[in-house]
Amino acid sequence: CVDTLDDYNIDPKRPSSVPATSLVSNAELSLTRTLVSPSVNLNPFRLYVQHWAETTYYDESIYDIRTRNINGGFWTAIYRDVLRDLKEAKAIITADGTLDPAVKANQLASIEVLEVYAWTTLVDVFGNVPYSQALDFNNPQPKYDDAKTIYTDLFARLNAAIAKFDPTAEGLGSADLIYDGDVAEFAKFANSLKLRMALTISDDDAATAKTQAEATRGKTIASNSENADLAFQTSNPNTNPLFEQLVQSGRNDFVAANTFVTVLNNLSDPRATQFFKLKNGAIRGGVYGASNNYASFSAPGVNQEDPTHPGVLLSYAQVEFLLAEAVERGFNVGGTAKSHYDAGVTASIQQWGGSATDAAAYLLKPAVNYLTATGNYKQKIGTQAWIALYDQPVDGYREYRRLDYPALVKPAQALSNIPRRFFYPVVEQNLNTANNSAAATAIGGDNVDTRIFWDKF
Amino acid sequence: QNRQISGRVTDRSTGQGLPGVTVLVKGTTIGVSTNSDGTYTISAPATATTLSFTSIGFVAVERTIGDASTIDIGLATDSKQLGEVIVTAQNVERTRNSLPYSATQVEGDNITKARNPNFINGLSGKVAGVQIRQSNTLGGSTNVLIRGTKSLFGNNQPLFVVDGVPISNANTNSADQQTGRGGYDYGNAAADINPDDIASTTILKGAAATALYGERAANGVILITTKKGRKGLGVTINLGATAGRIDKKTFIKYQNEYGAGYGRYYEDASGFFLSRDINGDGVDDLVTPLSEDASYGARFDPNLRVYQWDSFDPTSPTYKQATPWVAAENGPESFFKTAFTLNNSISIDGGNDNGYFKLGYNNIRDKGVLENSEVNKNIVNFAGSLNLTPKLTTTAAINYTRVDGKGRYGTGYGDGNVMTNFRQWWQTNVDLKQQKAAFERTGRNATWNYSDPSDLSPIYWNNPYWVRYKNYETDQRNRFFGNVAATYKVTDWFNILGRVTADSYDEIQEERNAVGSVGLSSYDRYNRTSREYNYDLIGNFSKNVTDNFSIKGLIGANLRRQYISTISAGTNGGLVVPDLYSLSNSASDPLPPNENEQKIAVDGIFASATLGFREMLFLDLTARRDKSTTLPSKNNTFVYPSVAAGFVFSELMKDVSWLSYGKIRANYAEVGQGASALAVNDIYSKISTFNGNPLFSVPSTKNNPDLKPERTKSAEGGLEMNFLSNRVGFDFTVYQQNTVNQIIPVTLSTATGYSNRFVNSGEVRNRGIELTAFVTPVKTADFSWTLNANWTRNRNEVLSLYQDVQNIVLATYQGGVSSNATVGEPFGSIRGSNYVYKDGQKVVSATTGYYQQSATSNEVIGNPNPDWTGGVSNTLNYKGLALYFLVDIRQGGDIFSLDRYYGLATGMTPETAGLNDLGNPSRNTIANGGGVILPGVLADGTPNTRRVSNTNYGLYGYLRNPAAGFVYDASFVKLREVSLTYSLPTSITSKLGGVKGIDFSVVGRNLWIISKNLPDADPEDALSSGNLGQGYSSGSFPAVRTFGGNIRLSF
């Protein structure tokens, strides 16, 4: 009878315990896929920064977020598919009494860094989000925390994690899909993230930015080989989402945007032919925010059709642009603005297969040369970072909002201004009503015109 | 002087002789009963003019004697007879008189009247309180709701029981399929029953009627009693064929002024065409924008020559030729074929005093309105009974069903469903006959929707014929169900039944996307095994304690064991060898298959007692205790009671001549329910491996080790009255059911790290009114007319959810709309973006000229629940001729149409073209007098005067209108069933050696949609059965009007 059938409640096909590192692998993969996906259901940021234009259906280019619930998709991907798995891994590792303490420390520190990365991604896109009460099923209605307060806590967590890394011991091992368990490189990734966070808040809190940025001196990613990236595999489901959307879908949804192409062509940018395919002997951009005939314009380049094309979380070029800016802001990080800027441009060109010679020639162009290029440091660095972050749409979108360069114009058919953030997912209004509306009030209105706390200008 | 009159009385529905019929000389007390074969001989006085024939359960008939010495007569069953025996829970047979709750019995004949191959559809419109929603796909599923939606996330379909065997009505359609994201509707499993084997169906609605069935009975029970063998040997043969054509009122109508394109931004000077040198003369030619699946292109002009899709295929008669730019002669409506169904059955039965047997076979070959679609059903059933001793009777029944499907219709949104294509994304210049010729000529995917003249791969849509002939699914289900039982009569008032029942089936579904199709080629297979065993031991007692007082009841135990195992696997990265559908033909290594296995065991004990007083007062008491493995062991036992009372007040009013019958009844019951399997303990989900590293994830649903049983509380009251010798009557029921402590995978903010968590929470209330009435306005010896009507009004309200959550999203759909459970609203309310209104007028933005839309897509824009449903049937009998027709009505409820949402945006329907207020083509540029002023007001209330362009896609569709613009009233009035039957008189059949009866029928189903408000579609068409997809329509299939004929021969 029923009393003897307790095992009917045990799922015979699914485990009740798993290796903690397998959860970390999954979180890294989910995070990277979310960041680099061009899916119109998840990540429209290549459009928002006007690197790409859409062909027939241009709904996302005119900032229709609601119809496809893009904000909800992004929110869920980070909370449920990244942060929840990381939290679980942390709990299992912490409870594991048999693990070598140094290895344990490295694993926990690595997870902490990934968590901080994921949290900044959420905050930078939404502003205030559930944080201190999040990831707890016993609290189905978590309150939203102030974005700036979250950043403060993230700095503390990141610093604590950085202090724990011990390169002489093992870390996550091969389960770390980004650095294959290289603890020293993971620590550089952590410091680079800290540098990125410092510069992100620098318009809002210059003092903290300075302190945090200066602490990373000499500890950040120092070459393209140290980039935080995840090399995808040749076959599904481990391919780069770009391959899935551009090749496997059989669709022709995206071409270069005229905004981007104009800049690339004006600079005769050596990366242009890597970014895009030639169309009738030239790089041609479709009109951003309107319908385009696919056959008339340049499609994304061949490298993006490679299923193993890596997904980048943080690049060396990015670090150098951050350092250039840090120098301009008077932070003591070593080097000059120009040296870092040049290194950033060079790293980016090399990242896209160019040579040092190509980079040197490019840097001599008056419009590129840091000494002669137009505008203040925000414009100069902003423009080159915008180009260099072509393959990092979430970073590109942040840097564009923060540096306000290049000066993008919303398309004629736009449903709103260029979004400064995503509004909150509709399910939050339903399931977390009071906290959601309090958050909306706190940030000054839940709409795309509200700025994240660091977006001062 | 007396004269002898003799003859034979038969059951008109079967042709079998009827024993025990009272034959009376009218106006006298002279009477006889018919013999076991239905024959009689009566000695009537010379003055006698009329004979009357009466039998319980049959319509009484009077016949003039005249000069006849032989009078044969066929009696029709009468479901209104009070002595009618109703089969109730646990197969207890009771007189209608004694029932203290609502139970509706529908005779088998009534279900099969229109020869519907799916008996569930044959119940539509016939029973108050039962809402049946059918799909227009071939072999598609039927949603059955009794007294409304009770469970927020769980199963709301009733339990089907065949002769005591609970049978699975599982629906294996995926959540994606049910929410309109593509896939096939594989139907539901209760359709595996031979309709011609059904003697009667009892629909038990409230918990008082169903409580003995235990936890699965909370949604009502459909109790099927199959035919039993009768004395002597009988053979019945049904030969039937029907043909169906689509109802054009339920298919899209196209504008015929403009062809392919999304606007004017292509390559030639006009902007409407590509500009390429196709014929090699060095001059660029006009080419259709092939990749564009919309009709916002160039105005048709027969003088304009354009290279279209057919000019790129070397085998095409128009290869490298430009053709006139005109609307297609053969549009998508020409894609539909005539559906054809053969429905044949034979049953043989026989018996004597020691037992009976029956053997039935039913073959249904069903070909749909789409090419290459066929569902075949073969059903064999056998039952036998033997009285081993006067005290011991053994019975056995076994049914074998095999269903073979090939080419079921793709549903919802996607390239597998040609309706999505025809209704949402289409070029009005594409001729279907040419598409067909191209496919047949080349055997390739010669689609109208190539990526580019230089890249002849399909971009969004395949050639529709390719879809049907290359990307077809196949499926098969092999199923046995049946029981063996022994009944031992301990005394004349007590017997014991022991029974073992089994329902066991295996099915396979295989889906294909051929090499050369849109998207990756693929092969997916899904195997499912389902087993259910029940072990029953039931003691029945029935005793008249005194003349006035009777007691009847049972005590029993039931052990239920269920096992379901599924495995699904597919190719990865495409297929290597075309047309080879095996996992090993995968381009990349296939991923490990997805396996699921679940077991459920429930032990129940139950008892019931019915106390009767003078056939006038009845009191029913039941109690059941279940113990379920689906709950944590600390909470796995639950007990629930019912109490019901009936009072036949007409027994006290026998002197009131106009009142034939009157009964008042009331009851209260509770039913407990366990959880779904594997909802208690936490597990991890396996994602796959990455470069040799395993990937595991925390699942999106959090299980709960503290679950408790959920409970449905039901109260019901009713009044039945018949008047004027039972010529008029009604049955009125009011009910309320509250389902509390629901076990639901409540939706969580994903900021918790989960999408759902199993909890006990929430309360849903259904309350309603059911009214059934009949009247026989005319009843003579030769002619009778009976009208039956039923009317149901159910009001559903979500009373509470989880903690202080006010709204839970049940499902999200394409188009930014969702189904919701909101506190204070009916289940399933549709939310999406809305218009902004001022004083009842839509507000238009002064700066853009387009409608303003609500800030969020969280506004309630529709309620899918009908205000009421009803059915009216008429039966007219004239001698051997019977005409029957049924009108099925649904009033109210809303439906969102994704077909309109996109189809209006892509410029396919007439309202997107034509003339504007200035008398110019609206699709002209504004500078050229075109454009449209959207009706509405500005924010200040003044009329909108701003003209907006209609040159590019979107103005009338999704891009420029909120979701609310595509919500329609889902009411309909349908002529559901018509049948005209002629029974050859026995005077003829008796001469045909051995023939007992011959009936000819002409039948029709869904012949006429008398009224509806949803444009271009059937508001009833459903994606699937179940809670999802209610009030949502995408890739909708047209209704099919079916005509046919049937011959029934009885020997």
Side-chain angles (χ1 to χ4, degrees):
Chain A
C1 65
V2 162
D3 290 331
T4 63
L5 300 174
D6 265 358
D7 61 329
Y8 276 32
N9 261 326
I10 308 294
D11 191 327
K13 299 295 181 186
R14 286 173 188 77
S16 54
S17 71
V18 294
T21 53
S22 68
L23 296 158
V24 182
S25 306
N26 189 53
E28 287 186 348
L29 184 61
S30 299
L31 175 62
T32 313
R33 285 184 63 90
T34 306
L35 293 171
V36 304
S37 172
S39 165
V40 292
N41 295 310
L42 184 64
N43 182 338
F45 301 123
R46 281 184 180 82
L47 303 172
Y48 289 7
V49 297
Q50 302 188 14
H51 285 155
W52 286 6
E54 292 176 288
T55 54
T56 305
Y57 320 101
Y58 53 86
D59 311 9
E60 293 73 32
S61 299
I62 60 171
Y63 315 125
D64 181 357
I65 296 168
R66 192 165 58 183
T67 301
R68 290 184 173 276
N69 188 23
I70 303 173
N71 50 346
F74 194 83
W75 173 282
T76 294
I78 302 289
Y79 271 114
R80 190 192 67 189
D81 303 338
V82 178
L83 286 167
R84 182 65 188 85
D85 282 346
L86 292 173
K87 178 182 168 167
E88 188 78 3
K90 210 157 62 177
I92 297 171
I93 292 167
T94 306
D96 184 348
T98 63
L99 202 57
D100 177 84
V103 175
K104 191 182 215 176
N106 279 336
Q107 290 188 348
L108 290 173
S110 303
I111 293 168
E112 192 77 356
V113 173
L114 291 166
E115 284 190 342
V116 171
Y117 190 105
W119 282 118
T120 59
T121 305
L122 275 175
V123 170
D124 292 351
V125 169
F126 290 98
N128 294 9
V129 291
Y131 174 73
S132 57
Q133 295 182 355
L135 304 175
D136 176 6
F137 67 86
N138 281 316
N139 184 359
Q141 298 184 311
K143 79 171 170 72
Y144 288 57
D145 293 276
D146 174 65
K148 187 175 174 177
T149 312
I150 298 173
Y151 250 80
T152 306
D153 191 55
L154 293 178
F155 274 119
R157 289 173 61 178
L158 190 53
N159 285 329
I162 287 170
K164 281 207 264 182
F165 280 115
D166 173 4
T168 65
E170 293 273 304
L172 292 164
S174 66
D176 171 15
L177 308 182
I178 297 171
Y179 286 114
D180 196 23
D182 188 320
V183 173
E185 290 196 354
F186 216 107
K188 289 189 177 181
F189 169 44
N191 278 291
S192 307
L193 172 60
K194 186 165 136 186
L195 177 67
R196 196 198 80 189
M197 289 165 60
L199 272 302
T200 300
I201 63 158
S202 57
D203 278 341
D204 177 65
D205 182 354
T208 305
K210 181 174 163 62
T211 316
Q212 299 293 349
E214 289 176 353
T216 68
R217 184 171 175 177
K219 298 174 185 166
T220 51
I221 292 169
S223 72
N224 276 328
S225 69
E226 293 176 353
N227 285 349
D229 59 16
L230 188 151
F232 287 99
Q233 304 278 300
T234 49
S235 64
N236 299 101
N238 296 328
T239 49
N240 190 311
L242 280 166
F243 161 77
E244 293 156 23
Q245 298 279 324
L246 299 178
V247 181
Q248 273 195 329
S249 73
R251 299 173 62 103
N252 295 324
D253 286 322
F254 303 107
V255 293
N258 54 355
T259 329
F260 193 36
V261 168
T262 303
V263 173
L264 294 176
N265 285 346
N266 284 345
L267 298 177
S268 304
D269 197 296
R271 289 162 290 190
T273 52
Q274 296 296 313
F275 290 167
F276 300 108
K277 292 175 184 165
L278 290 176
K279 178 59 72 176
N280 300 330
I283 305 291
R284 297 174 196 276
V287 181
Y288 182 79
S291 288
N292 292 292
N293 180 36
Y294 179 79
S296 305
F297 302 104
S298 292
V302 175
N303 51 64
Q304 291 144 74
E305 297 178 349
D306 177 355
T308 67
H309 182 70
V312 181
L313 286 81
L314 224 159
S315 61
Y316 172 51
Q318 187 181 0
V319 168
E320 289 292 353
F321 288 121
L322 292 166
L323 289 171
E325 184 188 342
V327 173
E328 291 284 10
R329 288 182 186 268
F331 301 169
N332 186 11
V333 292
T336 64
K338 181 174 189 311
S339 71
H340 287 302
Y341 172 90
D342 287 357
V345 170
T346 304
S348 174
I349 288 172
Q350 289 179 330
Q351 187 187 346
W352 287 92
S355 66
T357 324
D358 294 336
Y362 183 69
L363 283 165
L364 287 177
K365 293 175 201 257
V368 179
N369 187 327
Y370 196 71
L371 303 176
T372 56
T374 315
N376 59 14
Y377 78 89
K378 283 191 172 179
Q379 180 169 3
K380 286 186 281 195
I381 296 172
T383 304
Q384 279 301 324
W386 179 59
I387 298 171
L389 293 173
Y390 169 68
D391 209 20
Q392 293 168 246
V394 175
D395 282 330
Y397 178 52
R398 183 199 315 101
E399 299 305 290
Y400 156 71
R401 286 174 293 162
R402 200 170 63 74
L403 296 169
D404 303 299
Y405 283 99
L408 302 176
V409 178
K410 70 173 179 181
Q413 307 238 47
L415 303 174
S416 70
N417 292 320
I418 300 176
R420 308 301 295 197
R421 63 182 281 275
F422 273 164
F423 47 80
Y424 293 124
V426 65
V427 294
E428 282 295 305
Q429 294 169 26
N430 290 325
L431 299 173
N432 197 5
T433 316
N435 292 314
N436 178 269
S437 80
T441 310
I443 62 172
D446 182 18
N447 56 61
V448 296
D449 291 322
T450 299
R451 288 163 181 259
I452 310 295
F453 75 97
W454 43 253
D455 187 5
K456 291 290 181 191
F457 303 105
Chain B
Q1 185 180 344
N2 284 5
R3 51 179 170 148
Q4 299 288 318
I5 301 164
S6 60
R8 185 161 180 263
V9 183
T10 51
D11 178 344
R12 191 140 94 203
S13 61
T14 62
Q16 310 265 342
L18 274 179
V21 178
T22 305
V23 184
L24 202 65
V25 178
K26 201 176 173 189
T28 72
T29 54
I30 302 165
V32 295
S33 283
T34 56
N35 300 325
S36 63
D37 60 352
T39 56
Y40 70 93
T41 303
I42 191 168
S43 175
T47 52
T49 55
T50 307
L51 286 186
S52 79
F53 300 84
T54 51
S55 179
I56 282 183
F58 292 87
V59 178
V61 168
E62 294 183 352
R63 266 297 152 81
T64 328
I65 301 171
D67 299 331
S69 59
T70 304
I71 295 178
D72 291 338
I73 200 144
L75 294 185
T77 48
D78 180 4
S79 56
K80 296 298 163 302
Q81 277 291 339
L82 309 171
E84 180 193 5
V85 171
I86 305 250
V87 181
T88 64
Q90 300 295 2
N91 272 23
V92 174
E93 293 190 346
R94 297 175 64 171
T95 56
R96 170 174 289 283
N97 203 26
S98 71
L99 285 185
Y101 45 73
S102 172
T104 308
Q105 186 153 318
V106 182
E107 298 305 317
D109 279 355
N110 193 1
I111 296 168
T112 57
K113 231 163 203 158
R115 305 302 301 161
N116 202 315
N118 182 343
F119 85 93
I120 308 170
N121 293 345
L123 289 171
S124 185
K126 293 174 186 168
V127 186
V130 180
Q131 194 195 333
I132 289 176
R133 202 178 49 159
Q134 348 188 350
S135 148
N136 289 336
T137 61
L138 178 71
S141 47
T142 307
N143 193 55
V144 185
L145 265 187
I146 298 180
R147 294 186 175 170
T149 301
K150 295 167 198 77
S151 177
L152 290 167
F153 286 83
N155 179 32
N156 284 297
Q157 305 292 304
L159 176 69
F160 285 79
V161 179
V162 180
D163 292 334
V165 186
I167 62 157
S168 161
N169 185 33
N171 177 321
T172 57
N173 297 337
S174 66
D176 273 358
Q177 192 280 335
Q178 298 182 42
T179 53
R181 293 176 168 93
Y184 301 93
D185 180 1
Y186 287 99
N188 33 3
D192 291 355
I193 294 171
N194 176 356
D196 286 321
D197 188 38
I198 297 176
S200 71
T201 301
T202 310
I203 290 95
L204 302 175
K205 298 167 199 168
T210 65
L212 280 184
Y213 278 110
E215 59 156 14
R216 289 190 297 181
N219 303 317
V221 176
I222 295 187
L223 208 58
I224 295 151
T225 309
T226 63
K227 291 179 177 161
K228 300 284 176 286
R230 272 168 274 219
K231 293 212 170 134
L233 187 69
V235 178
T236 306
I237 297 174
N238 275 287
L239 302 169
T242 57
R245 296 286 295 166
I246 66 157
D247 184 338
K248 287 187 178 164
K249 270 195 296 195
T250 58
F251 193 61
I252 182 173
K253 281 144 220 70
Y254 298 91
Q255 54 85 7
N256 57 6
E257 297 177 72
Y258 301 89
Y262 272 94
R264 41 180 82 196
Y265 57 89
Y266 303 101
E267 297 169 357
D268 79 318
S270 74
F272 284 123
F273 294 103
L274 302 179
S275 183
R276 311 284 175 89
D277 179 13
I278 302 298
N279 55 10
D281 64 359
V283 180
D284 282 346
D285 306 304
L286 293 183
V287 183
T288 325
L290 299 167
S291 65
E292 306 296 70
D293 49 359
S295 296
Y296 255 106
R299 191 180 182 88
F300 287 128
D301 173 1
N303 298 318
L304 196 62
R305 300 279 153 161
V306 179
Y307 288 83
Q308 304 196 44
W309 65 270
D310 53 313
S311 59
F312 297 97
D313 162 21
T315 68
S316 164
T318 47
Y319 181 54
K320 291 198 175 178
Q321 290 174 34
T323 45
W325 184 240
V326 292
E329 195 183 328
N330 304 291
E333 62 281 355
S334 64
F335 189 72
F336 298 97
K337 309 196 318 173
T338 299
F340 199 67
T341 303
L342 289 175
N343 183 351
N344 299 318
S345 72
I346 178 166
S347 61
I348 303 169
D349 66 75
N352 57 28
D353 291 338
N354 286 326
Y356 70 85
F357 84 98
K358 65 158 181 184
L359 180 62
Y361 171 63
N362 180 210
N363 172 260
I364 299 168
R365 294 173 68 89
D366 211 356
K367 286 175 184 287
V369 291
L370 296 189
E371 301 273 345
N372 196 33
S373 62
E374 183 165 356
V375 174
N376 290 325
K377 225 189 271 186
N378 283 289
I379 307 175
V380 182
N381 50 275
F382 173 81
S385 163
L386 188 62
N387 303 328
L388 287 176
T389 73
K391 292 206 159 202
L392 183 64
T393 303
T394 56
T395 59
I398 186 155
N399 297 264
Y400 168 68
T401 306
R402 174 168 161 163
V403 181
D404 288 279
K406 181 180 182 188
R408 288 178 193 265
Y409 309 168
T411 63
Y413 188 93
D415 56 55
N417 180 3
V418 289
M419 289 308 115
T420 325
N421 199 170
F422 295 158
R423 291 176 180 276
Q424 301 178 9
W425 314 96
W426 185 248
Q427 297 180 353
T428 49
N429 45 293
V430 174
D431 188 294
L432 260 292
K433 286 216 167 122
Q434 290 178 27
Q435 280 279 285
K436 183 176 193 186
F439 170 67
E440 287 173 352
R441 195 172 59 232
T442 62
R444 290 207 305 269
N445 190 4
T447 179
W448 52 275
N449 196 208
Y450 293 129
S451 290
D452 192 78
S454 62
D455 175 6
L456 300 183
S457 60
I459 180 159
Y460 305 121
W461 303 100
N462 300 306
N463 180 314
Y465 291 89
W466 172 274
V467 173
R468 296 304 309 160
Y469 281 98
K470 301 291 270 189
N471 296 344
Y472 59 91
E473 65 78 40
T474 49
D475 59 273
Q476 188 182 91
R477 178 163 60 233
N478 277 290
R479 179 174 195 174
F480 289 92
F481 63 86
N483 69 81
V484 291
T487 309
Y488 185 74
K489 246 189 211 176
V490 181
T491 71
D492 60 346
W493 58 269
F494 183 62
N495 68 56
I496 297 173
L497 166 75
R499 183 172 58 198
V500 178
T501 76
D503 176 16
S504 168
Y505 63 95
D506 297 277
E507 60 190 326
I508 179 169
Q509 296 163 2
E510 295 177 278
E511 300 181 4
R512 298 163 184 79
N513 200 40
V515 174
S517 304
V518 169
L520 271 186
S521 56
S522 63
Y523 165 68
D524 294 282
R525 61 177 291 164
Y526 171 79
N527 290 76
R528 183 170 190 271
T529 298
S530 170
R531 309 269 183 266
E532 174 171 340
Y533 304 100
N534 282 274
Y535 308 90
D536 295 309
L537 189 65
I538 301 171
N540 275 292
F541 56 93
S542 174
K543 194 165 173 65
N544 291 331
V545 181
T546 69
D547 281 352
N548 286 336
F549 186 69
S550 68
I551 179 163
K552 220 179 147 149
L554 56 81
I555 178 161
N558 164 257
L559 304 183
R560 166 156 65 96
R561 298 293 180 266
Q562 273 176 288
Y563 168 84
I564 290 169
S565 154
T566 67
I567 179 165
S568 53
T571 57
N572 186 17
L575 297 171
V576 181
V577 179
D579 299 329
L580 174 64
Y581 296 103
S582 77
L583 295 174
S584 57
N585 193 28
S586 179
S588 306
D589 287 341
L591 301 177
N594 183 13
E595 300 167 274
N596 286 292
E597 186 181 310
Q598 45 181 258
K599 292 184 253 183
I600 294 177
V602 178
D603 295 350
I605 51 173
F606 49 86
S608 83
T610 299
L611 310 173
F613 177 68
R614 282 189 174 171
E615 292 294 303
M616 183 171 73
L617 272 171
F618 295 94
L619 179 67
D620 266 31
L621 299 166
T622 74
R624 177 160 174 144
R625 190 196 77 165
D626 279 334
K627 201 164 192 176
S628 171
T629 58
T630 60
L631 293 168
S633 45
K634 60 188 174 193
N635 301 331
N636 70 357
T637 306
F638 43 106
V639 178
Y640 42 92
S642 83
V643 54
F647 172 38
V648 185
F649 58 83
S650 53
E651 290 288 311
L652 298 178
M653 302 168 70
K654 285 189 170 162
D655 51 343
V656 182
S657 61
W658 50 267
L659 180 69
S660 320
Y661 182 66
K663 179 171 80 177
I664 188 161
R665 53 176 205 264
N667 61 64
Y668 175 82
E670 296 188 5
V671 177
Q673 198 164 1
S676 52
L678 302 177
V680 173
N681 295 318
D682 282 329
I683 44 90
Y684 293 94
S685 42
K686 177 96 191 290
I687 306 293
S688 68
T689 58
F690 187 98
N691 201 17
N693 293 293
L695 303 178
F696 282 98
S697 180
V698 176
S700 56
T701 298
K702 172 77 183 161
N703 284 338
N704 190 336
D706 299 314
L707 288 179
K708 294 182 198 56
E710 78 175 47
R711 221 164 173 84
T712 299
K713 300 176 178 177
S714 151
E716 180 191 294
L719 175 66
E720 281 172 65
M721 290 177 85
N722 290 0
F723 310 95
L724 307 175
S725 309
N726 298 319
R727 292 275 289 265
V728 188
F730 70 84
D731 182 344
F732 175 82
T733 306
V734 291
Y735 63 86
Q736 172 166 320
Q737 295 211 75
N738 290 47
T739 305
V740 300
N741 244 346
Q742 300 212 357
I743 298 174
I744 50 176
V746 65
T747 320
L748 295 182
S749 156
T750 49
T752 61
Y754 294 95
S755 296
N756 302 91
R757 179 188 180 203
F758 274 104
V759 294
N760 282 102
S761 197
E763 177 169 0
V764 175
R765 182 183 68 202
N766 284 280
R767 46 162 65 147
I769 301 169
E770 290 160 4
L771 185 60
T772 303
F774 70 93
V775 56
T776 306
V778 184
K779 188 171 167 185
T780 68
D782 288 335
F783 180 69
S784 72
W785 171 29
T786 304
L787 193 149
N788 283 290
N790 66 78
W791 185 85
T792 308
R793 179 189 136 136
N794 184 70
R795 287 288 179 271
N796 173 292
E797 187 177 334
V798 177
L799 297 182
S800 70
L801 290 167
Y802 179 55
Q803 298 190 355
D804 48 357
V805 169
Q806 295 298 303
N807 183 59
I808 290 178
V809 177
L810 303 167
T812 60
Y813 308 103
Q814 245 177 308
V817 297
S818 55
S819 286
N820 298 270
T822 309
V823 175
E825 302 241 355
F827 177 90
S829 57
I830 306 166
R831 291 187 179 218
S833 54
N834 202 351
Y835 293 101
V836 174
Y837 286 94
K838 182 174 176 70
D839 305 329
Q841 303 252 59
K842 293 172 186 164
V843 176
V844 175
S845 157
T847 51
T848 65
Y850 298 121
Y851 288 118
Q852 281 197 2
Q853 302 187 23
S854 58
T856 74
S857 50
N858 205 18
E859 307 235 337
V860 176
I861 56 174
N863 167 13
N865 300 289
D867 298 334
W868 54 265
T869 57
V872 179
S873 71
N874 282 279
T875 311
L876 295 101
N877 284 299
Y878 177 70
K879 292 188 174 171
L881 204 58
L883 173 68
Y884 164 84
F885 61 95
L886 168 70
V887 175
D888 200 351
I889 306 164
R890 172 196 159 114
Q891 174 61 42
D894 298 315
I895 190 163
F896 171 86
S897 170
L898 192 75
D899 292 331
R900 299 275 295 170
Y901 179 84
Y902 285 128
L904 286 166
T906 55
M908 285 164 30
T909 51
E911 55 263 60
T912 65
L915 303 180
N916 65 8
D917 56 317
L918 303 173
N920 301 322
S922 71
R923 291 210 188 169
N924 284 0
T925 58
I926 291 180
N928 222 349
V932 177
I933 298 171
L934 296 176
V937 296
L938 303 182
D940 62 7
T942 58
N944 172 40
T945 55
R946 192 182 171 98
R947 196 169 291 281
V948 289
S949 165
N950 188 28
T951 58
N952 285 45
Y953 85 105
L955 177 63
Y956 292 98
Y958 75 99
L959 201 55
R960 300 296 175 192
N961 296 277
F966 311 95
V967 173
Y968 300 88
D969 170 38
S971 303
F972 62 75
V973 180
K974 290 183 175 185
L975 179 60
R976 178 75 73 189
E977 294 186 340
V978 179
S979 79
L980 179 65
T981 303
Y982 178 64
S983 306
L984 279 186
T986 35
S987 55
I988 297 178
T989 55
S990 59
K991 290 170 189 152
L992 300 172
V995 176
K996 288 176 188 158
I998 302 180
D999 291 356
F1000 298 93
S1001 304
V1002 182
V1003 298
R1005 297 196 301 271
N1006 300 317
L1007 292 184
W1008 181 26
I1009 298 181
I1010 300 164
S1011 92
K1012 71 177 176 84
N1013 295 319
L1014 173 65
D1016 297 351
D1018 178 359
E1020 188 185 10
D1021 183 46
L1023 287 159
S1024 173
S1025 62
N1027 302 346
L1028 303 176
Q1030 293 187 32
Y1032 184 76
S1033 169
S1034 172
S1036 177
F1037 279 87
V1040 178
R1041 305 159 75 165
T1042 303
F1043 302 86
N1046 188 72
I1047 302 173
R1048 177 160 60 192
L1049 306 163
S1050 317
F1051 303 97

